Amino acid sequence: WQPWRAVPALLLVWGAALAALLGGAATLRAAVAYGERRARFASSVTHELRTPLTTFRMYAEMLASGMVTDERRQREYLQTLHGESERLASVVENVLAYSRLEQGRALGRTERVTLATLVQRLVPRLERRADEAGVALECAVRGVPETALLCDVEALGQILLNLVDNACKYGTSASAAPVEVAFELVPGRLRVDVRDHGPGVPPAARASIFLPFDRGGRTDGSVPGIGLGLALSRGLARELGGDLTLADAPDGRGALFRVDLPDARG
């Protein structure tokens, strides 16, 4: 009977070894997946930087050498350079902001503003981004405009800019429906919804779209981006004590991203 007494101990040891093996495999798999996303991120950043820099060099040389003499074409070239500079600044800003977020110093400063002032400060930049993409932007405000809020305007602005940028890139459709941004004061929080009327988020991508360096399964480079917008936006929202989620659109069409921030009425 002595050998049988060792069976429970052996089972315990083998169970622990199996658990350690499974844990190691899961960790390795996660590390490989993270490494693959980082590799795609590096490739995307390289592409996103190379394209505007190439345009800058080519157009600047043409304008500086006097090759473009027509005033209309000169204005077109200058507008293109301005748009590429905005694109380049957005890429750099997201990378730096995500780096600050990982280091725990992403937030700026909280200030007291009214709901009306908050909208007035944030919407013009969102409208410019939509206009660059040739998409209309509709803004709605539900709540008393004079309500005083304590808010990190810069952080919320970056969250909304990333959401509108994604809506312009992924939410376009043949109907040319606008991107909708709705500010609402609900019990206990400030809510901002950003909705498009495009194809929506594929079911297979819903679980991964908030991961850093992930672009919802798009790896062909057909849509510009580096895969940090949603990860950064959710991180900022959570640093503010709230959250960013993918909600269900009322009619089941398009994508609806919802920013909920804690009640900060002053």
Side-chain angles (χ1 to χ4, degrees), residues 33 65 71 126 178 250:
S65 63
E71 291 186 2
L126 306 181

Side-chain angles (χ1 to χ4, degrees), residues 9-212:
L10 288 174
L11 291 177
L12 181 62
V13 171
W14 280 107
L18 181 60
L21 183 61
L22 292 175
T27 302
L28 179 61
R29 181 178 179 182
V32 170
Y34 185 74
E36 291 176 349
R37 292 199 303 272
R38 287 188 68 94
R40 291 198 300 269
F41 164 74
S43 176
S44 298
V45 167
T46 302
H47 176 75
E48 288 295 298
L49 294 180
R50 181 187 295 120
T51 301
L53 289 175
T54 301
T55 303
F56 265 108
R57 180 178 180 180
M58 181 176 65
Y59 279 25
E61 288 178 353
M62 294 175 67
L63 290 171
S65 63
M67 293 177 60
V68 183
T69 57
D70 182 71
E71 291 186 2
R72 182 181 60 82
R73 290 186 62 197
Q74 288 178 350
R75 287 193 298 270
E76 290 178 354
Y77 279 29
L78 291 174
Q79 289 173 354
T80 300
L81 290 175
H82 180 266
E84 290 298 299
S85 68
E86 290 283 341
R87 175 180 171 184
L88 184 61
S90 177
V91 172
V92 174
E93 184 178 5
N94 271 353
V95 172
L96 293 178
Y98 190 77
S99 175
R100 290 194 297 268
L101 181 66
E102 287 193 319
Q103 296 172 20
R105 53 185 185 90
L107 301 183
R109 62 186 182 89
T110 300
E111 54 186 299
R112 185 184 299 274
V113 294
T114 65
L115 177 61
T117 301
L118 180 68
V119 173
Q120 290 171 1
R121 288 176 58 177
L122 295 182
V123 170
R125 190 179 180 190
L126 306 181
E127 289 177 333
R128 287 196 299 271
R129 174 63 190 96
D131 185 63
E132 291 172 359
V135 179
L137 182 79
E138 290 185 357
C139 179
V141 180
R142 307 184 185 105
V144 180
E146 293 77 21
T147 302
L149 304 171
L150 292 174
C151 180
D152 188 330
V153 180
E154 181 180 350
L156 179 57
Q158 187 153 20
I159 293 171
L160 298 183
L161 183 62
N162 280 326
L163 295 180
V164 170
D165 180 62
N166 275 359
C168 291
K169 291 189 296 188
Y170 299 105
T172 56
S173 64
S175 62
V179 172
E180 300 172 5
V181 180
F183 295 80
E184 183 178 8
L185 294 176
V186 297
R189 57 195 182 277
L190 167 66
R191 171 175 292 170
V192 188
D193 286 346
V194 178
R195 183 191 177 185
D196 63 64
H197 295 266
V201 180
R206 293 176 72 94
S208 64
I209 55 174
F210 291 105
L211 294 176

